[in-house]
């Protein structure tokens, strides 16, 4: 029986045509392979729920118009108000209703948006409620 005594103490041969691969590179060969890159993110995005923007009825539209006019009258005082508005999604249909409280800086009639003191701009057509206005 041959027990390899003739080659057991020989040095390991080095490659002639290319440098040795580092241990990190060798380990990377056996790292897990994600065949469907981005699949999990796509599933999460699809599963995320959005709301449809509901139209305001005549009563709520009239109430919102009165609050808007009161806000315009009190604009010089820079009132602190709470606004509920609809923010449409960029990636899918629908959106989400948000509520923000802040100090009103100006109402930009040209761009049809309300600008708060922190710089946030809210489109007037997205606003569904304004609270904090005194009659």
């Amino acid at each position: 029986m041959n027990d390899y005594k003739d080659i057991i103490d020989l040095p390991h041969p080095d490659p002639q045509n290319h440098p040795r691969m580092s241990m990190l590179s060798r380990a990377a060969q056996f790292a897990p392979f994600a065949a469907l890159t981005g699949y999990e993110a796509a599933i999460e995005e699809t599963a995320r729920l959005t709301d449809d923007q509901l139209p305001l009825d005549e009563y709520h539209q009239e109430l919102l118009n009165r609050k808007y006019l009161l806000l315009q009258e009190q604009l010089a005082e820079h009132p602190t108000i709470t606004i509920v508005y609809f923010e449409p999604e960029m990636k899918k249909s629908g959106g989400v209703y948000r509520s923000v409280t802040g100090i009103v800086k100006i109402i930009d009639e040209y761009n049809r948006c309300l600008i708060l003191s922190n710089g946030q701009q809210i489109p007037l057509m997205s606003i569904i409620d304004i609270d904090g206005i005194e009659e």
Side-chain angles (χ1 to χ4, degrees), residues 30-124:
F30 303 102
F33 175 68
L36 299 173
T37 304
Y39 179 72
E40 290 294 323
I43 293 294
E44 288 175 13
E45 178 62 27
T46 303
R48 189 170 50 85
L49 299 176
T50 59
D51 295 321
D52 292 330
Q53 185 172 10
L54 302 174
L56 293 177
D57 60 23
E58 289 181 29
Y59 172 76
H60 286 98
Q61 185 65 46
E62 181 61 34
L63 184 63
L64 185 60
N65 287 341
R66 277 191 267 140
K67 289 180 178 183
Y68 179 71
L69 291 174
L70 287 171
L71 177 61
Q72 284 181 320
E73 291 173 3
Q74 299 174 19
L75 196 57
E77 301 165 16
H78 298 290
T80 300
I81 61 170
T82 299
I83 302 168
V84 178
Y85 65 100
F86 183 79
E87 184 176 297
E89 284 289 328
M90 296 297 158
K91 296 183 178 181
K92 59 198 290 188
S93 65
V96 67
Y97 284 96
R98 299 205 185 274
S99 177
V100 64
T101 301
I103 299 171
V104 180
K105 184 176 177 183
I106 61 170
I107 298 173
D108 186 347
E109 292 289 341
Y110 182 75
N111 292 314
R112 305 283 302 146
C113 66
L114 189 137
I115 302 174
L116 301 178
S117 61
N118 64 2
Q120 184 176 4
Q121 297 183 9
I122 302 169
L124 294 176

